[in-house]
Amino acid sequence: MLHLRAVCPPDKTAEALDILRAHAGTAHLIVHRGVAVEPAGDLVEADIAREAADEIVDALCVLELDHTGGITLEALDTALSDAADEAEEAAPGEGADAVVWQELVARSGEESRLNVTFLAFLTIACLLAAVGVLTDSAVTIVGAMVVGPEFGPLAALAVGLVLRRWDLVRLAGAALGIGFPLAMVVTLGGALLVRVTDVFGEKAFELKQHSDVDFVFSVGVPSLVVAMLAGAAGMLAMTSAKSAALVGVFISVTTVPAAGYAVVAAVAGEWSRCLQSVGQLLVNLLGIVAAAAIVLIVRRNGQRSPVGTRPLSRG
């Protein structure tokens, strides 16, 4: 179940209530008259089945409540109510299979913004990957995979391309196009410092002896298959609210490790491995976006998707 809150201008409240009453997936309908201060109006609340959310939110947006008031959704972990159970039973489909398109657009847009936090995580992840390469530590490489925040913009690219939300495409493109080069430049500085100070020992840059992390630069068909499977799993996790699966997605792909390996290989003068790592990075990026887009197209064919004209909000 999801909890819906809608701030309504007084002249729209009756229509909003009619929409919620008419849908079988609604339970616990409440209206607070005149309690909203900015924007002024009434507050309408209801618990709705996840599989009903997309249709209800779209209907409320037709009333322009997203412009003249506000609509928020919040996941409910527990709902002990016969009315809630009946609403879930009456709503068509299964909650785990339902895509709340407006929620997906907002979530992917928020996670793809180029900001200091995103750049910090990406840079730290690349530095961790470089350390993993220099120390021949697969565990450290896995840590870099988990820390890397790049799946958010990749998912946003897929959403933007499928729904033709070019604002999402621009946001995600800027995050990846600026984030990765900046993180790699910082990692380059760190690798040069390590080489000058010899803090990791004389053999740190002898990459041919680091067999435990060879999988990072070994690009090929298996790399593309893994990237596509991870992209598909990641988009399924995002659209079905099963976020726990995203951790497995992060550990499956070698985007950040490939970027870190490319930098270390360049400093070591291993240009063949550097180019292979760059190829690995590109294959993973393209594979994830392609598979995520395919999942969205398949899911959209089974469920109506939003028009997608509403601009992204920073809220």
Side-chain angles (χ1 to χ4, degrees), residues 120-142:
F121 272 112
L122 189 58
T123 301
I124 291 171
C126 279
L127 288 169
L128 274 174
V131 172
V133 173
L134 291 170
T135 60
D136 196 24
S137 171
V139 173
T140 307
I141 293 292
V142 171

Side-chain angles (χ1 to χ4, degrees), residues 61-73:
C61 286
V62 170
L63 298 180
E64 298 189 339
L65 297 189
D66 52 333
H67 298 294
T68 59
I71 304 170
T72 60
L73 289 173

Side-chain angles (χ1 to χ4, degrees), residues 151 154 220-236 249 252-255 280 282-295:
F151 184 76
L154 292 173
V221 174
S223 301
L224 178 61
V225 171
V226 171
M228 295 194 70
L229 290 173
M235 187 53 68
L236 279 173
V249 174
S252 300
V253 294
T254 52
T255 45
Q280 179 81 286
L282 294 176
V283 164
N284 274 268
L285 294 176
L286 293 174
I288 291 171
V289 173
I294 291 171
V295 168

Side-chain angles (χ1 to χ4, degrees), residues 7 22 47 55 59 73 77 95 129 132-133 145-146 158 177 186-187 236 244 265 269 279 290 299:
V7 176
D47 295 333
E55 184 176 346
L73 289 173
D77 294 328
V133 173
M145 293 175 177
V146 176
V186 174
T187 304
L236 279 173
R299 303 209 73 177

Side-chain angles (χ1 to χ4, degrees), residues 85-112:
D85 293 341
E86 291 171 3
E88 285 191 292
E89 288 292 332
E94 292 290 334
D97 296 332
V99 181
V100 185
W101 291 97
Q102 296 286 0
E103 177 191 50
L104 178 63
V105 170
R107 181 180 177 187
S108 57
E110 184 62 32
E111 293 183 359
S112 65

